[in-house]
Amino acid sequence: MTATLVPHTPSDTELVHSGAFDARQLVASLPQAVGKLKPRDQARNPVMFVVYLGAIASTILAAASSSVFAWLIVAWLWFTVIFAGLAEAVAEGRGKAQAASLRKVKRDTVARVLTDDGAIVETPGSDLHVGMRIVVEAGETIAGDGDVIDGIATVDESAITGESAPVVRESGGDRSAVTGGTVVLSDRIVVRITAEPGSTFVDRMIALVEGASRKKTPNEIALNILLTALTIVFLLAVLAIGPMQGFAGQAPDPVKLIALLVCLIPTTIGALLSSIGIAGMDRLVQRNVLAMSGRAVEAAGDIDTLLMDKTGTITFGNRRATAFHPADGVSTTELAAVAHRCSLADETPEGRSIVDLARDEYQVTTGDDSGATVVPFTAQTRMSGVDADGHSFRKGAADAVEKWCGRLDADVRSTVDEISTRGGTPLVVATKTGLRAHVLGVIELSDVVKPGMAERFAQLRAMGIRTVMVTGDNPLTAKAIAAQAGVDDFIAQATPEDKLDLIRAEQSGGRLVAMTGDGTNDAPALAQADVGLAMNTGTMAAKEAGNMVDLDSDPTKLIEVVAIGKQLLITRGALTTFSLANDLAKYFAILPALFASTYPQLDALNIMRLHSAQSAIVSAVVFNALIIIALIPLSLKGVRYRAASAADLLRRNLLLFGVGGVVTPFIGIWLIDLLVRLLPGMG
């Protein structure tokens, strides 16, 4: 049997999701760009609004006194306005393609709502409200965003995240959140709805990528003010040229003056500014990150300090019980039995792993704890367990258990230090009857640093970003993991208050801080941080507190978010530099040609030896329009970002885009002039 390989042509949606740029997008977006010629749309961009008015005025003037030169200027001025709208139209078109693919996820599903009396009532997904409980079984689509409150299941989230591998969603753990539109592949879960119809993450992503919720950022507004001021300055300068020409005995030509104004004002960055911002948000969406505002994306580019949780971020996070270390005089079976009893009500993955280890390795079975009082884990006590029959059973951090029972024996303390030194997590098990406490031993939990983390932190260090690992582990464990991962600093035994205090301390020194989190106890710090990346599988409190949500729930993605933010700022700065440098070159192209007949001395500045005043002006206007469309791919893809210091990046961009912005117009205008001079009326 032979196989025939058929070349695959990517669809528009595939191109969008891959981040690629294709020339077909320009052609497909042309009708939308033409539709932006309405005065209301043009008035939103002061720079291009001046070009728009200039095109209208030139059209009227050309109609009054027709000439080849005037109509060429008119044609290319309108092309300039359309090309400026084309940049934004392409960016918006990519968003609409993403929105179309996301809308396929939204289905009018029927949910099976669990009532208070245990009955199941079928209800349209559009009628679900916060707090309702729905039952979802294998093969069914989850009708709305929510948290799993009962059961465990594998879920296909490929429609949302693009990842084909199914994920596990379970009650009680860190992976309890589910997104509407995803499909349950196995088992049965009960989901509590956490979002009203129209306010789900898919709805918010659709609004984001279509630009409906995008507002201009402070940096964008500031740059718009600068560009407007430059436009006003050049407008006044060009208005003054007419009387100067009249004083010199040369009749001013309004069409030439309009062309001069269009070439001198910063039309390149004015045309591309909006598309740069839209594309930056677009790159985040491609990585399944939902940004609540463009301000957060820009802040990510200026981050100075990065706070990251150890578990699930720097390490894999699936810490499991790997061994029981009994104290002197205690059998391993006795330790396993008490550890098992302390963990029966512990729904965390660590707690379940302790139950599994005790059952599988030591044949510990579940006793009758119906009358026991469960003591849940809290960030303040850092212990959990049960109280039954006048006895208290606890497992938790060594220092917390020591405070609870009074002391730790030397052998137990030695075991704790040994486990911590090799990067494991020790949990001490103890019992108390009345005032008499007895330490039984230590449970060893093991975790592994994710591969490549040291290299990624080295890249952040090269960017000038300080990395801090935050963990609830003891100092010895934290130190071992921090050394292995290569972070700059760490905070051990951190409480929610410690995280908040650290962020405030950093910000008081004028530094911007980013952090990740997924729990309710992370919400205050996420709200305080300049960039708070909440996990989609985390609690609603965390997602509401952060200004970004990662639908993949990958805490290490914060590193990519920082790179995207820096790329957006660099792209905007690079194209602004290029645009202003362009204006300088076009100044030398037009002004000598415009005044050479009146002031022959200015002919020395005509270093390109352009054919005539008419051909020079037409060539500059044509170049001005073409350079916009040539830079659309760069504005959408972004300038390539490399991990380097701010000084190195500034030096590189000044050389590349500053010098390039000066040289390119000289070459481009000269080449266009070679063609334009062949047209009639260019003598």
Side-chain angles (χ1 to χ4, degrees), residues 52-83:
Y52 178 72
L53 294 177
I56 294 174
S58 298
T59 304
I60 297 172
L61 292 170
S65 56
S66 182
S67 68
V68 174
F69 168 77
W71 283 114
L72 280 173
I73 295 296
V74 167
W76 282 99
L77 288 183
W78 282 113
F79 282 145
T80 303
V81 176
I82 293 173
F83 291 165

Side-chain angles (χ1 to χ4, degrees), residues 588-602:
F588 282 97
I590 295 182
L591 282 184
L594 196 63
F595 287 101
S597 59
T598 306
Y599 302 104
Q601 299 89 338
L602 290 178

Side-chain angles (χ1 to χ4, degrees), residues 197-259:
S199 300
T200 66
F201 278 106
V202 173
D203 292 317
R204 293 162 75 178
M205 283 187 72
I206 290 172
L208 173 70
V209 299
E210 286 187 329
S213 61
R214 181 183 178 271
K215 298 180 180 178
K216 289 185 178 179
T217 62
N219 285 346
E220 201 171 346
I221 293 172
L223 184 54
N224 260 316
I225 293 173
L226 173 63
L227 298 180
T228 302
L230 288 174
T231 301
I232 293 173
V233 169
F234 283 119
L235 177 61
L236 295 175
V238 171
L239 288 175
I241 288 177
M244 292 173 59
Q245 284 185 303
F247 179 77
Q250 181 180 358
D253 185 344
V255 175
K256 291 182 179 179
L257 293 179
I258 291 173

Side-chain angles (χ1 to χ4, degrees), residues 257-583:
L257 293 179
I258 291 173
L260 173 63
L261 175 63
V262 170
C263 290
L264 293 185
I265 62 177
T267 51
T268 305
I269 186 61
L272 300 175
L273 185 58
S274 180
S275 66
I276 294 171
I278 295 174
M281 302 288 280
D282 176 61
R283 283 191 288 275
L284 272 184
V285 175
Q286 288 171 14
R287 289 161 176 79
N288 292 321
V289 176
L290 177 63
M292 306 305 176
S293 69
R295 183 191 298 262
V297 185
E298 286 191 351
D302 287 328
I303 286 301
D304 301 294
T305 304
L306 188 61
L307 270 63
M308 305 187 80
D309 282 332
K310 175 183 77 71
T311 306
T313 304
I314 295 173
T315 63
F316 280 107
N318 53 343
R319 294 184 303 174
R320 296 190 60 83
T322 53
F324 293 123
H325 302 277
D328 290 344
V330 179
S331 69
T332 306
T333 303
E334 182 182 358
L335 170 61
V338 175
H340 180 275
R341 192 171 190 181
C342 289
S343 305
L344 280 176
D346 187 349
E347 292 295 326
T348 65
E350 292 86 352
R352 291 175 179 175
S353 73
I354 294 172
V355 172
D356 293 342
L357 180 64
R359 183 189 63 239
D360 297 341
E361 296 294 331
Y362 300 97
Q363 289 73 51
V364 176
T365 57
T366 303
D368 183 14
D369 265 347
S370 57
T373 301
V374 175
V375 179
F377 175 88
T378 67
Q380 284 69 35
T381 63
R382 292 184 294 127
M383 292 191 304
S384 64
V386 294
D387 293 334
D389 302 326
H391 302 282
S392 297
F393 305 90
R394 297 289 187 274
K395 74 175 192 302
D399 62 317
V401 174
E402 184 176 28
K403 184 183 294 184
W404 180 72
C405 67
R407 64 182 178 84
L408 294 182
D409 293 336
D411 63 314
V412 174
R413 173 59 65 186
S414 175
T415 302
V416 168
D417 293 344
E418 181 182 347
I419 294 172
S420 301
T421 301
R422 59 175 178 255
T425 300
L427 295 180
V428 177
V429 179
T431 65
K432 182 186 284 188
T433 305
L435 297 176
R436 184 176 180 181
H438 182 39
V439 178
L440 300 179
V442 184
I443 306 170
E444 181 176 358
L445 301 178
S446 299
D447 201 353
V448 181
V449 174
K450 293 180 179 179
M453 291 305 297
E455 291 77 8
R456 301 192 79 173
F457 288 136
Q459 291 177 355
L460 290 171
R461 198 171 297 112
M463 299 178 197
I465 297 174
R466 175 172 169 261
T467 54
V468 180
M469 182 185 78
V470 182
T471 177
D473 289 337
N474 63 68
L476 283 175
T477 301
K479 183 178 181 181
I481 296 294
Q484 187 177 352
V487 295
D488 297 318
D489 200 358
F490 67 90
I491 299 178
Q493 298 175 339
T495 63
E497 293 77 14
D498 292 333
K499 297 178 184 179
L500 192 58
D501 290 342
L502 175 62
I503 292 174
R504 287 173 174 169
E506 291 286 326
Q507 290 173 333
S508 65
R511 292 177 288 273
L512 297 183
V513 182
M515 78 160 289
T516 61
D518 57 4
T520 301
N521 61 344
D522 292 323
L526 286 169
Q528 181 68 35
D530 299 284
V531 177
L533 180 64
M535 302 296 102
N536 189 35
T537 53
T539 62
M540 284 303 298
K543 289 189 279 190
E544 292 297 330
N547 48 27
M548 292 186 184
V549 177
D550 177 21
L551 297 179
D552 294 335
S553 298
D554 176 10
T556 61
K557 196 176 290 184
L558 185 55
I559 299 174
E560 296 180 42
V561 171
V562 170
I564 290 172
K566 286 188 175 293
Q567 185 183 36
L568 181 133
L569 294 176
I570 290 171
T571 301
R572 186 181 296 156
L575 292 182
T576 301
T577 302
F578 187 89
S579 179
L580 297 179
N582 255 277
D583 296 337

